[in-house]
Amino acid sequence: MIDHTRDLTSVHEATERLLAAAATLDDAAVAAPSALPGWTRGHVLAHLSRNADALVNVLRGLPMYPSAEAREADIERDAGRPLAAQLEDLRASAERFRAEGDAPADWGRTVELRNGVTDLAARVPFRRLVEVELHHVDLGVGYELEDLPKEFTEREIDFLTERFAGHKDVPATTVVAEDGRTWTTGGGADGGPVTVRGTAADLLGWLAGRRDGSALAVPDGTLPALPPL
């Protein structure tokens, strides 16, 4: 059962953690590379601000972004700002998203995201939580995949394995965490079945494109190459 109210609370808490961590940086650190290739920490922070506003658009039934080009241009425009401006924008945009989430609405309706993707409105708060949590890790400020809340990690593995289910480029794959929890994914490509085992953090890192999977065990084959998200 999706609990959008609980997810909105989690988004707020995760945002406060991220803001506190980012506040320890200085302008030089904001301009330094993040863990995402080609992006500085400023790019990550700018993206988070613009994503909050984009998800407000989604909840209002508007296009998420005017275009892919406009999305990229806005991130580039805002990436080079000093820390104080980044923090002010991130907090203000987060408050706009929170206010929209608190407004009376039909959370069972279908909304449209980027590239024609649709989802229930009730899933939007979790989608925002994913952005905040994973990009907090991407900032490279000491917050690692292992530090993510356990429930979040499991839910995001649920989401990503569902996303890759039946994918034409992914063979049938069983994903097994150390605690015994199991997911199935892929199935659209030749080869397999293959089993991938590891810690929940390493599995999430592989599925989300944050780790290369070298820490995972694949006893019956080769680690599948996953398409970009």
Side-chain angles (χ1 to χ4, degrees), residues 106-174:
D106 173 14
W107 289 95
R109 72 193 187 279
T110 298
V111 295
E112 184 170 342
L113 296 108
R114 294 178 62 199
N115 304 320
V117 173
T118 60
D119 204 348
L120 291 177
R123 287 279 291 271
V124 171
F126 181 70
R127 285 179 174 271
R128 176 59 181 174
L129 182 61
V130 172
E131 295 287 330
V132 175
E133 290 285 28
L134 291 186
H135 285 314
H136 189 167
V137 173
D138 295 333
L139 282 177
V141 291
Y143 189 69
E144 304 295 343
L145 293 170
E146 287 78 7
D147 298 316
L148 293 167
K150 181 176 183 292
E151 181 186 7
F152 168 81
T153 297
E154 291 181 351
R155 288 181 67 188
E156 180 62 353
I157 293 175
D158 286 343
F159 176 81
L160 292 172
T161 51
E162 180 181 339
R163 179 168 179 168
F164 291 127
H167 196 285
K168 64 181 182 64
D169 296 325
V170 183
T173 304
T174 299

Short mmCIF file of all heavy atoms in Angstrom, two decimals, residues 106-174:
data_model
loop_
_atom_site.label_atom_id
_atom_site.label_comp_id
_atom_site.label_asym_id
_atom_site.label_seq_id
_atom_site.Cartn_x
_atom_site.Cartn_y
_atom_site.Cartn_z
N ASP A 106 -6.68 14.31 -5.40
CA ASP A 106 -7.02 12.91 -5.68
C ASP A 106 -5.71 12.17 -5.91
O ASP A 106 -5.13 12.21 -6.99
CB ASP A 106 -7.90 12.84 -6.94
CG ASP A 106 -8.14 11.40 -7.39
OD1 ASP A 106 -7.85 10.47 -6.60
OD2 ASP A 106 -8.59 11.22 -8.54
N TRP A 107 -5.24 11.48 -4.90
CA TRP A 107 -3.95 10.81 -4.99
C TRP A 107 -4.03 9.50 -5.77
O TRP A 107 -3.00 8.89 -6.07
CB TRP A 107 -3.39 10.57 -3.59
CG TRP A 107 -2.94 11.85 -2.97
CD1 TRP A 107 -3.65 12.64 -2.12
CD2 TRP A 107 -1.69 12.52 -3.19
NE1 TRP A 107 -2.93 13.77 -1.79
CE2 TRP A 107 -1.71 13.71 -2.43
CE3 TRP A 107 -0.55 12.23 -3.95
CZ2 TRP A 107 -0.64 14.61 -2.41
CZ3 TRP A 107 0.52 13.12 -3.93
CH2 TRP A 107 0.45 14.30 -3.17
N GLY A 108 -5.23 9.10 -6.16
CA GLY A 108 -5.37 7.90 -6.97
C GLY A 108 -5.36 8.17 -8.46
O GLY A 108 -5.43 7.24 -9.26
N ARG A 109 -5.23 9.43 -8.83
CA ARG A 109 -5.23 9.77 -10.25
C ARG A 109 -3.89 9.40 -10.90
O ARG A 109 -2.89 9.22 -10.22
CB ARG A 109 -5.50 11.27 -10.44
CG ARG A 109 -4.34 12.17 -10.03
CD ARG A 109 -4.78 13.62 -9.95
NE ARG A 109 -3.68 14.55 -9.72
CZ ARG A 109 -3.12 14.80 -8.54
NH1 ARG A 109 -3.58 14.17 -7.45
NH2 ARG A 109 -2.14 15.68 -8.43
N THR A 110 -3.92 9.31 -12.21
CA THR A 110 -2.70 9.04 -12.98
C THR A 110 -2.09 10.36 -13.43
O THR A 110 -2.80 11.26 -13.89
CB THR A 110 -3.01 8.17 -14.21
OG1 THR A 110 -3.52 6.91 -13.76
CG2 THR A 110 -1.76 7.93 -15.04
N VAL A 111 -0.77 10.48 -13.27
CA VAL A 111 -0.06 11.68 -13.69
C VAL A 111 1.02 11.28 -14.69
O VAL A 111 1.43 10.12 -14.78
CB VAL A 111 0.59 12.41 -12.48
CG1 VAL A 111 -0.49 12.92 -11.54
CG2 VAL A 111 1.55 11.49 -11.74
N GLU A 112 1.48 12.27 -15.45
CA GLU A 112 2.50 12.02 -16.47
C GLU A 112 3.82 12.68 -16.07
O GLU A 112 3.85 13.85 -15.68
CB GLU A 112 2.06 12.55 -17.83
CG GLU A 112 3.05 12.22 -18.94
CD GLU A 112 2.52 12.53 -20.33
OE1 GLU A 112 1.28 12.67 -20.47
OE2 GLU A 112 3.33 12.64 -21.26
N LEU A 113 4.90 11.90 -16.19
CA LEU A 113 6.23 12.40 -15.88
C LEU A 113 6.99 12.66 -17.18
O LEU A 113 6.38 13.07 -18.16
CB LEU A 113 6.96 11.41 -14.96
CG LEU A 113 6.28 11.28 -13.59
CD1 LEU A 113 5.59 9.93 -13.49
CD2 LEU A 113 7.25 11.45 -12.45
N ARG A 114 8.30 12.43 -17.19
CA ARG A 114 9.09 12.66 -18.40
C ARG A 114 8.91 11.52 -19.40
O ARG A 114 8.64 10.38 -19.02
CB ARG A 114 10.58 12.77 -18.07
CG ARG A 114 10.98 13.95 -17.24
CD ARG A 114 12.47 13.90 -16.93
NE ARG A 114 13.29 13.96 -18.13
CZ ARG A 114 14.57 13.58 -18.18
NH1 ARG A 114 15.15 13.07 -17.11
NH2 ARG A 114 15.25 13.69 -19.31
N ASN A 115 9.10 11.85 -20.68
CA ASN A 115 9.16 10.85 -21.75
C ASN A 115 7.93 9.96 -21.81
O ASN A 115 8.01 8.79 -22.17
CB ASN A 115 10.42 9.98 -21.57
CG ASN A 115 11.70 10.80 -21.54
OD1 ASN A 115 11.84 11.75 -22.29
ND2 ASN A 115 12.61 10.43 -20.65
N GLY A 116 6.78 10.55 -21.42
CA GLY A 116 5.53 9.81 -21.52
C GLY A 116 5.29 8.80 -20.42
O GLY A 116 4.30 8.06 -20.47
N VAL A 117 6.18 8.74 -19.42
CA VAL A 117 6.00 7.81 -18.31
C VAL A 117 4.83 8.27 -17.44
O VAL A 117 4.70 9.46 -17.14
CB VAL A 117 7.29 7.73 -17.45
CG1 VAL A 117 7.06 6.90 -16.20
CG2 VAL A 117 8.43 7.16 -18.28
N THR A 118 3.98 7.34 -17.07
CA THR A 118 2.85 7.67 -16.20
C THR A 118 2.96 6.89 -14.89
O THR A 118 3.61 5.85 -14.82
CB THR A 118 1.52 7.35 -16.88
OG1 THR A 118 1.47 5.95 -17.20
CG2 THR A 118 1.33 8.18 -18.14
N ASP A 119 2.30 7.41 -13.87
CA ASP A 119 2.31 6.76 -12.57
C ASP A 119 1.15 7.31 -11.76
O ASP A 119 0.53 8.33 -12.15
CB ASP A 119 3.63 7.02 -11.84
CG ASP A 119 3.96 5.96 -10.79
OD1 ASP A 119 3.07 5.15 -10.46
OD2 ASP A 119 5.10 5.94 -10.30
N LEU A 120 0.87 6.68 -10.65
CA LEU A 120 -0.12 7.22 -9.73
C LEU A 120 0.44 8.46 -9.04
O LEU A 120 1.63 8.51 -8.71
CB LEU A 120 -0.50 6.19 -8.67
CG LEU A 120 -1.29 4.97 -9.13
CD1 LEU A 120 -1.50 4.02 -7.96
CD2 LEU A 120 -2.63 5.38 -9.72
N ALA A 121 -0.42 9.42 -8.80
CA ALA A 121 0.01 10.61 -8.07
C ALA A 121 0.60 10.23 -6.72
O ALA A 121 1.56 10.85 -6.24
CB ALA A 121 -1.16 11.57 -7.89
N ALA A 122 0.05 9.20 -6.10
CA ALA A 122 0.52 8.77 -4.78
C ALA A 122 1.96 8.30 -4.80
O ALA A 122 2.61 8.25 -3.74
CB ALA A 122 -0.38 7.66 -4.24
N ARG A 123 2.50 7.94 -5.97
CA ARG A 123 3.89 7.50 -6.06
C ARG A 123 4.87 8.67 -6.22
O ARG A 123 6.08 8.48 -6.08
CB ARG A 123 4.07 6.55 -7.25
CG ARG A 123 3.48 5.17 -7.08
CD ARG A 123 4.39 4.25 -6.28
NE ARG A 123 5.61 3.90 -7.01
CZ ARG A 123 5.72 2.87 -7.83
NH1 ARG A 123 4.68 2.08 -8.06
NH2 ARG A 123 6.86 2.62 -8.42
N VAL A 124 4.37 9.84 -6.51
CA VAL A 124 5.25 10.99 -6.75
C VAL A 124 6.10 11.33 -5.53
O VAL A 124 7.31 11.60 -5.67
CB VAL A 124 4.45 12.20 -7.25
CG1 VAL A 124 5.32 13.46 -7.31
CG2 VAL A 124 3.87 11.91 -8.64
N PRO A 125 5.55 11.35 -4.31
CA PRO A 125 6.42 11.63 -3.16
C PRO A 125 7.59 10.65 -3.04
O PRO A 125 8.71 11.06 -2.70
CB PRO A 125 5.46 11.55 -1.97
CG PRO A 125 4.15 11.95 -2.54
CD PRO A 125 4.13 11.33 -3.91
N PHE A 126 7.36 9.37 -3.32
CA PHE A 126 8.47 8.42 -3.25
C PHE A 126 9.48 8.71 -4.35
O PHE A 126 10.70 8.60 -4.14
CB PHE A 126 8.00 6.98 -3.34
CG PHE A 126 9.13 5.99 -3.24
CD1 PHE A 126 9.80 5.81 -2.03
CD2 PHE A 126 9.56 5.27 -4.35
CE1 PHE A 126 10.87 4.92 -1.93
CE2 PHE A 126 10.62 4.38 -4.26
CZ PHE A 126 11.28 4.20 -3.05
N ARG A 127 9.00 9.08 -5.52
CA ARG A 127 9.93 9.44 -6.60
C ARG A 127 10.81 10.63 -6.17
O ARG A 127 12.00 10.67 -6.48
CB ARG A 127 9.16 9.77 -7.87
CG ARG A 127 8.62 8.54 -8.59
CD ARG A 127 7.84 8.92 -9.83
NE ARG A 127 7.41 7.76 -10.60
CZ ARG A 127 8.12 7.18 -11.57
NH1 ARG A 127 9.32 7.65 -11.88
NH2 ARG A 127 7.64 6.14 -12.23
N ARG A 128 10.24 11.57 -5.48
CA ARG A 128 11.03 12.69 -4.97
C ARG A 128 12.01 12.21 -3.91
O ARG A 128 13.17 12.66 -3.86
CB ARG A 128 10.11 13.78 -4.41
CG ARG A 128 10.85 14.96 -3.76
CD ARG A 128 11.79 15.66 -4.72
NE ARG A 128 12.50 16.77 -4.06
CZ ARG A 128 13.46 17.48 -4.64
NH1 ARG A 128 13.84 17.22 -5.87
NH2 ARG A 128 14.06 18.45 -3.97
N LEU A 129 11.58 11.30 -3.06
CA LEU A 129 12.47 10.76 -2.03
C LEU A 129 13.68 10.09 -2.67
O LEU A 129 14.81 10.23 -2.19
CB LEU A 129 11.72 9.77 -1.16
CG LEU A 129 12.48 9.14 0.00
CD1 LEU A 129 12.96 10.21 0.98
CD2 LEU A 129 11.61 8.11 0.72
N VAL A 130 13.47 9.37 -3.76
CA VAL A 130 14.58 8.74 -4.47
C VAL A 130 15.58 9.79 -4.94
O VAL A 130 16.80 9.64 -4.79
CB VAL A 130 14.06 7.92 -5.67
CG1 VAL A 130 15.22 7.43 -6.54
CG2 VAL A 130 13.22 6.74 -5.19
N GLU A 131 15.07 10.88 -5.51
CA GLU A 131 15.96 11.95 -5.98
C GLU A 131 16.79 12.50 -4.83
O GLU A 131 18.02 12.68 -4.95
CB GLU A 131 15.13 13.07 -6.60
CG GLU A 131 14.39 12.70 -7.86
CD GLU A 131 15.32 12.54 -9.06
OE1 GLU A 131 16.35 13.23 -9.11
OE2 GLU A 131 14.99 11.73 -9.95
N VAL A 132 16.15 12.79 -3.72
CA VAL A 132 16.85 13.41 -2.60
C VAL A 132 17.88 12.45 -2.00
O VAL A 132 19.04 12.83 -1.77
CB VAL A 132 15.85 13.88 -1.52
CG1 VAL A 132 16.59 14.41 -0.29
CG2 VAL A 132 14.94 14.97 -2.08
N GLU A 133 17.49 11.22 -1.76
CA GLU A 133 18.40 10.28 -1.10
C GLU A 133 19.58 9.91 -1.99
O GLU A 133 20.74 9.93 -1.54
CB GLU A 133 17.63 9.02 -0.68
CG GLU A 133 16.66 9.22 0.47
CD GLU A 133 17.35 9.35 1.83
OE1 GLU A 133 18.50 9.80 1.91
OE2 GLU A 133 16.71 8.98 2.83
N LEU A 134 19.33 9.53 -3.23
CA LEU A 134 20.44 9.10 -4.09
C LEU A 134 21.36 10.26 -4.45
O LEU A 134 22.58 10.11 -4.50
CB LEU A 134 19.91 8.44 -5.36
CG LEU A 134 19.24 7.08 -5.16
CD1 LEU A 134 18.88 6.46 -6.51
CD2 LEU A 134 20.13 6.11 -4.38
N HIS A 135 20.80 11.44 -4.67
CA HIS A 135 21.67 12.58 -4.99
C HIS A 135 22.42 13.09 -3.76
O HIS A 135 23.48 13.71 -3.91
CB HIS A 135 20.86 13.69 -5.66
CG HIS A 135 20.52 13.37 -7.08
ND1 HIS A 135 21.44 12.88 -7.97
CD2 HIS A 135 19.34 13.46 -7.76
CE1 HIS A 135 20.86 12.70 -9.15
NE2 HIS A 135 19.59 13.02 -9.04
N HIS A 136 21.90 12.83 -2.56
CA HIS A 136 22.68 13.10 -1.36
C HIS A 136 23.96 12.27 -1.39
O HIS A 136 25.06 12.76 -1.12
CB HIS A 136 21.84 12.79 -0.12
CG HIS A 136 22.45 13.23 1.17
ND1 HIS A 136 21.75 13.28 2.36
CD2 HIS A 136 23.72 13.62 1.49
CE1 HIS A 136 22.54 13.69 3.33
NE2 HIS A 136 23.75 13.89 2.83
N VAL A 137 23.81 11.00 -1.77
CA VAL A 137 24.98 10.14 -1.92
C VAL A 137 25.91 10.68 -3.00
O VAL A 137 27.14 10.74 -2.84
CB VAL A 137 24.55 8.69 -2.25
CG1 VAL A 137 25.76 7.82 -2.57
CG2 VAL A 137 23.75 8.09 -1.10
N ASP A 138 25.31 11.14 -4.12
CA ASP A 138 26.11 11.64 -5.24
C ASP A 138 26.93 12.87 -4.90
O ASP A 138 27.94 13.15 -5.56
CB ASP A 138 25.19 11.98 -6.42
CG ASP A 138 24.49 10.77 -7.00
OD1 ASP A 138 25.03 9.65 -6.88
OD2 ASP A 138 23.40 10.94 -7.58
N LEU A 139 26.52 13.62 -3.89
CA LEU A 139 27.28 14.81 -3.50
C LEU A 139 28.68 14.46 -3.02
O LEU A 139 29.59 15.30 -3.08
CB LEU A 139 26.55 15.58 -2.39
CG LEU A 139 25.36 16.44 -2.81
CD1 LEU A 139 24.73 17.08 -1.57
CD2 LEU A 139 25.79 17.54 -3.80
N GLY A 140 28.88 13.25 -2.54
CA GLY A 140 30.20 12.86 -2.06
C GLY A 140 30.61 13.59 -0.81
O GLY A 140 31.74 14.08 -0.70
N VAL A 141 29.70 13.66 0.14
CA VAL A 141 29.98 14.38 1.39
C VAL A 141 29.96 13.43 2.60
O VAL A 141 29.78 13.88 3.73
CB VAL A 141 28.97 15.54 1.60
CG1 VAL A 141 29.20 16.63 0.57
CG2 VAL A 141 27.51 15.03 1.54
N GLY A 142 30.16 12.13 2.35
CA GLY A 142 30.22 11.18 3.45
C GLY A 142 28.95 10.40 3.69
O GLY A 142 28.90 9.55 4.59
N TYR A 143 27.92 10.67 2.93
CA TYR A 143 26.65 9.94 3.03
C TYR A 143 26.67 8.86 1.96
O TYR A 143 26.68 9.17 0.76
CB TYR A 143 25.48 10.90 2.83
CG TYR A 143 24.10 10.35 3.11
CD1 TYR A 143 23.69 10.05 4.40
CD2 TYR A 143 23.17 10.17 2.07
CE1 TYR A 143 22.42 9.59 4.67
CE2 TYR A 143 21.89 9.72 2.33
CZ TYR A 143 21.52 9.42 3.63
OH TYR A 143 20.24 8.96 3.90
N GLU A 144 26.71 7.61 2.37
CA GLU A 144 26.90 6.51 1.43
C GLU A 144 25.63 5.67 1.29
O GLU A 144 24.68 5.82 2.07
CB GLU A 144 28.05 5.62 1.91
CG GLU A 144 29.37 6.35 2.13
CD GLU A 144 29.96 6.92 0.85
OE1 GLU A 144 29.55 6.48 -0.24
OE2 GLU A 144 30.84 7.80 0.95
N LEU A 145 25.64 4.80 0.31
CA LEU A 145 24.48 3.92 0.12
C LEU A 145 24.18 3.12 1.38
O LEU A 145 23.02 2.83 1.68
CB LEU A 145 24.73 2.98 -1.06
CG LEU A 145 24.80 3.64 -2.44
CD1 LEU A 145 25.29 2.64 -3.48
CD2 LEU A 145 23.45 4.22 -2.84
N GLU A 146 25.21 2.75 2.12
CA GLU A 146 25.02 2.02 3.37
C GLU A 146 24.30 2.85 4.43
O GLU A 146 23.77 2.29 5.40
CB GLU A 146 26.36 1.55 3.92
CG GLU A 146 26.99 0.40 3.16
CD GLU A 146 27.65 0.80 1.85
OE1 GLU A 146 27.73 2.02 1.57
OE2 GLU A 146 28.07 -0.09 1.10
N ASP A 147 24.29 4.17 4.29
CA ASP A 147 23.64 5.04 5.26
C ASP A 147 22.16 5.27 4.97
O ASP A 147 21.44 5.86 5.80
CB ASP A 147 24.35 6.40 5.30
CG ASP A 147 25.80 6.28 5.73
OD1 ASP A 147 26.08 5.55 6.69
OD2 ASP A 147 26.67 6.91 5.08
N LEU A 148 21.70 4.83 3.81
CA LEU A 148 20.29 5.03 3.46
C LEU A 148 19.40 4.23 4.39
O LEU A 148 19.75 3.13 4.82
CB LEU A 148 20.05 4.58 2.02
CG LEU A 148 20.73 5.42 0.94
CD1 LEU A 148 20.66 4.69 -0.40
CD2 LEU A 148 20.09 6.80 0.84
N PRO A 149 18.22 4.73 4.72
CA PRO A 149 17.29 3.96 5.55
C PRO A 149 16.99 2.61 4.91
O PRO A 149 16.80 2.51 3.69
CB PRO A 149 16.04 4.85 5.60
CG PRO A 149 16.56 6.24 5.37
CD PRO A 149 17.70 6.09 4.40
N LYS A 150 16.91 1.57 5.73
CA LYS A 150 16.71 0.21 5.24
C LYS A 150 15.43 0.09 4.42
O LYS A 150 15.42 -0.54 3.34
CB LYS A 150 16.67 -0.76 6.42
CG LYS A 150 16.50 -2.23 6.05
CD LYS A 150 16.58 -3.10 7.30
CE LYS A 150 16.49 -4.59 6.95
NZ LYS A 150 15.16 -4.96 6.44
N GLU A 151 14.36 0.68 4.90
CA GLU A 151 13.09 0.59 4.18
C GLU A 151 13.20 1.25 2.81
O GLU A 151 12.69 0.73 1.81
CB GLU A 151 11.96 1.25 4.97
CG GLU A 151 10.62 1.17 4.25
CD GLU A 151 9.52 1.95 4.96
OE1 GLU A 151 9.81 2.66 5.93
OE2 GLU A 151 8.37 1.84 4.50
N PHE A 152 13.88 2.39 2.75
CA PHE A 152 14.06 3.07 1.47
C PHE A 152 14.82 2.18 0.50
O PHE A 152 14.44 2.03 -0.67
CB PHE A 152 14.79 4.40 1.64
CG PHE A 152 15.23 4.98 0.33
CD1 PHE A 152 14.34 5.68 -0.46
CD2 PHE A 152 16.53 4.79 -0.14
CE1 PHE A 152 14.73 6.19 -1.70
CE2 PHE A 152 16.94 5.30 -1.37
CZ PHE A 152 16.02 5.99 -2.15
N THR A 153 15.93 1.60 0.96
CA THR A 153 16.75 0.76 0.10
C THR A 153 15.93 -0.39 -0.47
O THR A 153 15.99 -0.68 -1.68
CB THR A 153 17.97 0.22 0.87
OG1 THR A 153 18.79 1.33 1.27
CG2 THR A 153 18.79 -0.73 0.02
N GLU A 154 15.15 -1.05 0.36
CA GLU A 154 14.34 -2.17 -0.10
C GLU A 154 13.28 -1.71 -1.11
O GLU A 154 13.06 -2.36 -2.13
CB GLU A 154 13.68 -2.86 1.08
CG GLU A 154 14.67 -3.60 1.98
CD GLU A 154 14.01 -4.30 3.14
OE1 GLU A 154 12.78 -4.08 3.35
OE2 GLU A 154 14.68 -5.07 3.84
N ARG A 155 12.66 -0.58 -0.85
CA ARG A 155 11.64 -0.08 -1.77
C ARG A 155 12.24 0.33 -3.11
O ARG A 155 11.64 0.11 -4.16
CB ARG A 155 10.89 1.10 -1.15
CG ARG A 155 9.95 0.73 -0.03
CD ARG A 155 9.24 1.95 0.51
NE ARG A 155 8.32 2.54 -0.46
CZ ARG A 155 7.71 3.70 -0.27
NH1 ARG A 155 7.93 4.41 0.83
NH2 ARG A 155 6.88 4.17 -1.19
N GLU A 156 13.43 0.90 -3.08
CA GLU A 156 14.05 1.31 -4.32
C GLU A 156 14.53 0.10 -5.13
O GLU A 156 14.46 0.09 -6.36
CB GLU A 156 15.20 2.28 -4.06
CG GLU A 156 15.92 2.79 -5.30
CD GLU A 156 15.07 3.58 -6.29
OE1 GLU A 156 13.82 3.66 -6.12
OE2 GLU A 156 15.65 4.10 -7.26
N ILE A 157 14.99 -0.94 -4.44
CA ILE A 157 15.31 -2.18 -5.15
C ILE A 157 14.03 -2.76 -5.77
O ILE A 157 14.04 -3.23 -6.92
CB ILE A 157 16.00 -3.20 -4.23
CG1 ILE A 157 17.39 -2.69 -3.80
CG2 ILE A 157 16.14 -4.55 -4.93
CD1 ILE A 157 18.10 -3.57 -2.79
N ASP A 158 12.94 -2.74 -5.01
CA ASP A 158 11.64 -3.17 -5.56
C ASP A 158 11.35 -2.41 -6.86
O ASP A 158 10.98 -3.00 -7.89
CB ASP A 158 10.50 -2.87 -4.58
CG ASP A 158 10.45 -3.82 -3.39
OD1 ASP A 158 11.08 -4.89 -3.45
OD2 ASP A 158 9.78 -3.47 -2.41
N PHE A 159 11.49 -1.10 -6.80
CA PHE A 159 11.15 -0.23 -7.94
C PHE A 159 12.05 -0.52 -9.14
O PHE A 159 11.57 -0.64 -10.27
CB PHE A 159 11.27 1.24 -7.52
CG PHE A 159 11.02 2.21 -8.65
CD1 PHE A 159 9.73 2.53 -9.03
CD2 PHE A 159 12.07 2.80 -9.32
CE1 PHE A 159 9.50 3.43 -10.08
CE2 PHE A 159 11.86 3.69 -10.36
CZ PHE A 159 10.57 4.00 -10.74
N LEU A 160 13.35 -0.63 -8.90
CA LEU A 160 14.28 -0.81 -10.01
C LEU A 160 14.19 -2.19 -10.63
O LEU A 160 14.29 -2.33 -11.86
CB LEU A 160 15.71 -0.51 -9.54
CG LEU A 160 15.97 0.96 -9.19
CD1 LEU A 160 17.34 1.12 -8.55
CD2 LEU A 160 15.86 1.84 -10.43
N THR A 161 14.01 -3.22 -9.82
CA THR A 161 13.86 -4.55 -10.40
C THR A 161 12.56 -4.63 -11.21
O THR A 161 12.51 -5.28 -12.25
CB THR A 161 13.89 -5.66 -9.33
OG1 THR A 161 12.98 -5.34 -8.27
CG2 THR A 161 15.30 -5.81 -8.75
N GLU A 162 11.53 -3.95 -10.75
CA GLU A 162 10.29 -3.89 -11.53
C GLU A 162 10.52 -3.13 -12.84
O GLU A 162 10.01 -3.51 -13.89
CB GLU A 162 9.20 -3.20 -10.70
CG GLU A 162 7.86 -3.08 -11.42
CD GLU A 162 6.81 -2.37 -10.57
OE1 GLU A 162 6.96 -2.34 -9.34
OE2 GLU A 162 5.84 -1.86 -11.17
N ARG A 163 11.31 -2.07 -12.76
CA ARG A 163 11.57 -1.27 -13.95
C ARG A 163 12.30 -2.07 -15.03
O ARG A 163 12.03 -1.91 -16.22
CB ARG A 163 12.39 -0.03 -13.57
CG ARG A 163 12.75 0.88 -14.74
CD ARG A 163 13.29 2.18 -14.26
NE ARG A 163 13.65 3.06 -15.37
CZ ARG A 163 13.93 4.35 -15.24
NH1 ARG A 163 13.87 4.91 -14.05
NH2 ARG A 163 14.26 5.08 -16.29
N PHE A 164 13.24 -2.92 -14.62
CA PHE A 164 14.01 -3.70 -15.58
C PHE A 164 13.34 -5.03 -15.94
O PHE A 164 13.86 -5.78 -16.78
CB PHE A 164 15.42 -3.97 -15.04
CG PHE A 164 16.28 -2.74 -14.96
CD1 PHE A 164 16.92 -2.40 -13.76
CD2 PHE A 164 16.46 -1.93 -16.06
CE1 PHE A 164 17.72 -1.26 -13.69
CE2 PHE A 164 17.27 -0.79 -16.00
CZ PHE A 164 17.89 -0.45 -14.81
N ALA A 165 12.22 -5.35 -15.31
CA ALA A 165 11.53 -6.62 -15.59
C ALA A 165 11.12 -6.68 -17.06
O ALA A 165 10.50 -5.75 -17.59
CB ALA A 165 10.31 -6.77 -14.70
N GLY A 166 11.51 -7.77 -17.73
CA GLY A 166 11.16 -7.94 -19.13
C GLY A 166 11.97 -7.10 -20.09
O GLY A 166 11.70 -7.12 -21.30
N HIS A 167 12.95 -6.34 -19.59
CA HIS A 167 13.71 -5.45 -20.47
C HIS A 167 14.44 -6.25 -21.54
O HIS A 167 15.04 -7.30 -21.26
CB HIS A 167 14.72 -4.65 -19.64
CG HIS A 167 15.27 -3.46 -20.37
ND1 HIS A 167 16.19 -3.57 -21.38
CD2 HIS A 167 15.01 -2.12 -20.23
CE1 HIS A 167 16.49 -2.37 -21.83
NE2 HIS A 167 15.78 -1.47 -21.16
N LYS A 168 14.41 -5.73 -22.76
CA LYS A 168 14.97 -6.47 -23.89
C LYS A 168 16.47 -6.66 -23.81
O LYS A 168 17.03 -7.53 -24.50
CB LYS A 168 14.64 -5.73 -25.19
CG LYS A 168 15.27 -4.35 -25.32
CD LYS A 168 14.87 -3.68 -26.62
CE LYS A 168 15.52 -2.32 -26.78
NZ LYS A 168 16.98 -2.40 -26.88
N ASP A 169 17.16 -5.88 -22.97
CA ASP A 169 18.61 -5.97 -22.88
C ASP A 169 19.10 -6.68 -21.61
O ASP A 169 20.30 -6.75 -21.37
CB ASP A 169 19.25 -4.57 -22.95
CG ASP A 169 19.00 -3.89 -24.28
OD1 ASP A 169 18.97 -4.60 -25.31
OD2 ASP A 169 18.81 -2.65 -24.29
N VAL A 170 18.16 -7.16 -20.80
CA VAL A 170 18.54 -7.76 -19.51
C VAL A 170 18.06 -9.21 -19.47
O VAL A 170 16.86 -9.47 -19.58
CB VAL A 170 17.94 -6.97 -18.33
CG1 VAL A 170 18.40 -7.58 -17.00
CG2 VAL A 170 18.33 -5.50 -18.41
N PRO A 171 18.98 -10.16 -19.28
CA PRO A 171 18.56 -11.57 -19.17
C PRO A 171 17.81 -11.82 -17.87
O PRO A 171 17.86 -11.00 -16.93
CB PRO A 171 19.89 -12.33 -19.19
CG PRO A 171 20.89 -11.36 -18.65
CD PRO A 171 20.44 -10.01 -19.13
N ALA A 172 17.14 -12.93 -17.79
CA ALA A 172 16.42 -13.30 -16.57
C ALA A 172 17.39 -13.33 -15.40
O ALA A 172 18.41 -14.03 -15.42
CB ALA A 172 15.76 -14.66 -16.74
N THR A 173 17.09 -12.55 -14.37
CA THR A 173 18.02 -12.35 -13.25
C THR A 173 17.28 -12.44 -11.93
O THR A 173 16.21 -11.85 -11.77
CB THR A 173 18.70 -10.97 -13.36
OG1 THR A 173 19.36 -10.86 -14.63
CG2 THR A 173 19.71 -10.76 -12.25
N THR A 174 17.87 -13.17 -11.00
CA THR A 174 17.37 -13.22 -9.62
C THR A 174 18.34 -12.44 -8.75
O THR A 174 19.55 -12.70 -8.77
CB THR A 174 17.25 -14.66 -9.12
OG1 THR A 174 16.33 -15.38 -9.95
CG2 THR A 174 16.75 -14.70 -7.69
#
